[in-house]
Amino acid sequence: MAVLPIRIMGDPVLHSPASPVEEITDDIRTLVADMFETMDTAPGVGLAAPQVGVPLRIYTYAYVDDDDRPWRGVIINPELWMTPLEPGEPDEDLESEGCLSFPGERFALRRSERVRVTGTDLDGAPVDIAVDGWRARIMQHEYDHLDGVLYIDRLSDGDWKTVQKIARKRGWGRPGASWMPGVDDLEG
């Protein structure tokens, strides 16, 4: 396994829809193992293949709930269904999220409270996950990456302007920008 560099906003692979995985090969299995290693080292609760420069419809996830129960897996070629969003402004304390492709920052974003995700696992077996709360947020966030959408693309105008200032200050927003988990310190 290897830790891979994580692409930062502005890299074209992050802003284009990913392609379906046609066949689960040894290369795909190695990619998924490397994605888990990268996600854990970063650390993050999810990582999509485009974030490591691979334009395929794959994402990994890992979350430990309040009862210390781990939830971890991979979904290949996912499909996502979600309940309608509740109207209103996001709660800054309860609905803030971050992204490994815009590291060191968090912004409030309203997401659907419940989702269902189907796809396949690394063995080609069907996956069918229905979750709510933070697990639903993780599924939506990672699924967006597969469609070329970063969570910062969904922010209010005021937060979007702040994102642009941060990106300019850090030299992001250009092709090829990346950081290496475990090596680079991008926490602020």
Side-chain angles (χ1 to χ4, degrees):
M1 292 187 296
V3 174
L4 303 172
I6 296 176
R7 305 293 174 95
I8 294 175
M9 69 153 313
D11 193 289
V13 73
L14 294 173
H15 303 284
S16 302
S19 300
V21 174
E22 299 295 331
E23 180 183 1
I24 299 172
T25 63
D26 287 341
D27 287 342
I28 296 294
R29 287 182 189 88
T30 299
L31 170 64
V32 169
D34 292 347
M35 288 172 63
F36 274 116
E37 183 78 12
T38 303
M39 178 182 68
D40 293 343
T41 301
V45 296
L47 186 69
Q51 290 181 275
V52 294
V54 180
L56 291 175
R57 297 188 75 78
I58 303 171
Y59 67 79
T60 58
Y61 58 89
Y63 180 73
V64 177
D65 66 17
D66 292 337
D67 297 323
D68 289 328
R69 288 185 305 230
W71 181 67
R72 188 173 176 87
V74 60
I75 301 179
I76 299 170
N77 296 331
E79 295 292 331
L80 174 78
W81 294 269
M82 57 188 155
T83 59
L85 287 176
E86 293 291 326
E89 294 298 315
D91 182 298
E92 295 284 333
D93 295 324
L94 301 175
E95 296 180 285
S96 288
E97 63 186 73
C99 181
L100 297 175
S101 290
F102 197 81
E105 302 295 331
R106 295 183 68 78
F107 292 93
L109 178 64
R110 177 66 42 104
R111 294 273 192 187
S112 180
E113 182 60 26
R114 286 180 299 286
V115 300
R116 179 177 176 209
V117 181
T118 61
T120 59
D121 67 14
L122 204 49
D123 297 320
V127 172
D128 190 339
I129 299 171
V131 291
D132 60 8
W134 274 100
R135 288 181 172 107
R137 180 174 294 276
I138 293 165
M139 294 288 113
Q140 292 167 81
H141 181 110
E142 298 311 323
Y143 187 86
D144 271 354
H145 278 298
L146 304 183
D147 286 340
V149 176
L150 300 179
Y151 92 106
I152 56 175
D153 297 331
R154 297 188 179 279
L155 297 176
S156 68
D157 288 342
D159 285 343
W160 177 247
K161 288 176 185 173
T162 301
V163 162
Q164 294 305 307
K165 288 177 186 175
I166 292 167
R168 275 192 304 277
K169 180 180 175 185
R170 296 184 181 168
W172 298 348
R174 59 182 170 74
S178 67
W179 69 283
M180 181 62 80
V183 176
D184 297 325
D185 176 18
L186 296 178
E187 286 304 310

